[in-house]
């Protein structure tokens, strides 16, 4: 039967797992909304080519005398100059690397907290090795016990799925 302490640890463990999942799904974005045009791709300056109308008149020649109306090729019909600081209303985040470092550090901290809670819930998976060096938490010497201690990368070989270990190119 679970006591109150273990149930609190389990609830905290589950909350930390959910927080970790949410954090992993919310990674920093490299492209952010343009700070200069707020993603509109337009500036506050009126287009010089169409004088802010968004359309260009092309007068007809003498033979047909029909005039044609086109969207302005400079402002694409908006009447305002295009933002030259972004592409499609997005720009590269200058703090992207710093945000990624902070994000990674948060994930590492959460994983450490989850491991500490796992040690409390499943002490049989961990064994204490030697003195903990006066560590307040008492887990400095704790080592994870591998469920299969005989497994070794050098000794465990698997056959290639493609050639079944024959080495041929099939």
């Amino acid at each position: 039967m679970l006591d109150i302490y273990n149930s609190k640890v389990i609830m905290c463990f589950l909350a930390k797992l959910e927080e970790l999942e949410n954090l992993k799904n919310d990674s920093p974005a490299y492209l952010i909304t343009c700070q200069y045009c707020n993603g509109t791709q337009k500036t506050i300056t009126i287009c010089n080519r169409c004088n802010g109308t968004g359309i260009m008149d092309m007068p007809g020649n003498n033979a047909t005398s029909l005039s044609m109306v086109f969207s302005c090729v400079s402002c694409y019909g908006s009447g305002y100059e295009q933002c030259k600081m972004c592409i499609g209303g997005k720009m590269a985040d200058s703090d992207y690397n710093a945000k990624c470092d902070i994000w990674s550090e948060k994930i590492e901290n959460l994983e450490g907290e989850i491991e500490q809670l796992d040690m409390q819930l499943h002490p049989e998976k961990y064994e204490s090795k030697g003195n903990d060096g006066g560590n307040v938490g008492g887990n400095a010497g704790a080592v994870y016990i591998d469920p299969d201690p005989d497994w070794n990368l050098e000794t465990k070989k698997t056959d290639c799925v493609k050639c079944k270990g024959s080495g041929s190119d099939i």
Side-chain angles (χ1 to χ4, degrees):
M1 181 166 170
L2 288 175
D3 58 358
I4 294 174
Y5 175 76
N6 277 344
S7 62
K8 286 182 179 180
V9 172
I10 290 171
M11 294 302 290
C12 185
F13 181 77
L14 294 175
K16 293 288 182 183
L17 283 177
E18 185 177 353
E19 185 179 349
L20 180 65
E21 184 179 340
N22 290 339
L23 186 62
K24 284 185 175 182
N25 290 334
D26 191 28
S27 62
Y30 179 70
L31 292 177
I32 59 172
T33 303
C34 180
Q35 299 169 351
Y36 301 97
C37 68
N38 292 325
T40 62
Q41 303 180 42
K42 300 179 261 187
T43 63
I44 58 172
T45 308
I46 293 176
C47 178
N48 291 332
R49 195 161 191 181
C50 66
N51 292 325
T53 61
I55 56 174
M56 296 190 60
D57 291 331
M58 293 192 66
N61 58 18
N62 290 340
T64 60
S65 68
L66 294 173
S67 64
M68 301 193 336
V69 179
F70 293 101
S71 293
C72 178
V73 293
S74 182
C75 68
Y76 301 105
S78 70
Y80 296 95
E81 289 185 7
Q82 295 291 305
C83 179
K84 294 181 179 32
M85 301 302 286
C86 65
I87 297 173
K90 301 283 186 182
M91 62 186 297
D93 188 0
S94 59
D95 297 331
Y96 177 72
N97 290 334
K99 287 178 182 176
C100 282
D101 291 341
I102 292 168
W103 179 73
S104 296
E105 187 177 320
K106 285 181 181 178
I107 287 178
E108 285 178 23
N109 291 340
L110 264 175
E111 287 173 343
E113 292 174 20
I114 289 170
E115 185 177 6
Q116 292 294 321
L117 291 169
D118 191 43
M119 283 182 193
Q120 293 174 15
L121 290 172
H122 306 289
E124 67 276 0
K125 288 179 16 181
Y126 300 88
E127 76 180 21
S128 183
K129 298 249 181 174
N131 187 7
D132 65 356
N135 187 16
V136 176
N139 293 320
V143 177
Y144 179 71
I145 300 173
D146 192 1
D148 185 8
D150 296 330
W151 194 88
N152 185 351
L153 184 62
E154 282 78 31
T155 60
K156 298 288 183 182
K157 300 289 183 195
T158 58
D159 290 338
C160 175
V161 175
K162 209 173 182 184
C163 69
K164 305 286 189 246
S166 68
S168 65
D169 263 351
I170 299 182

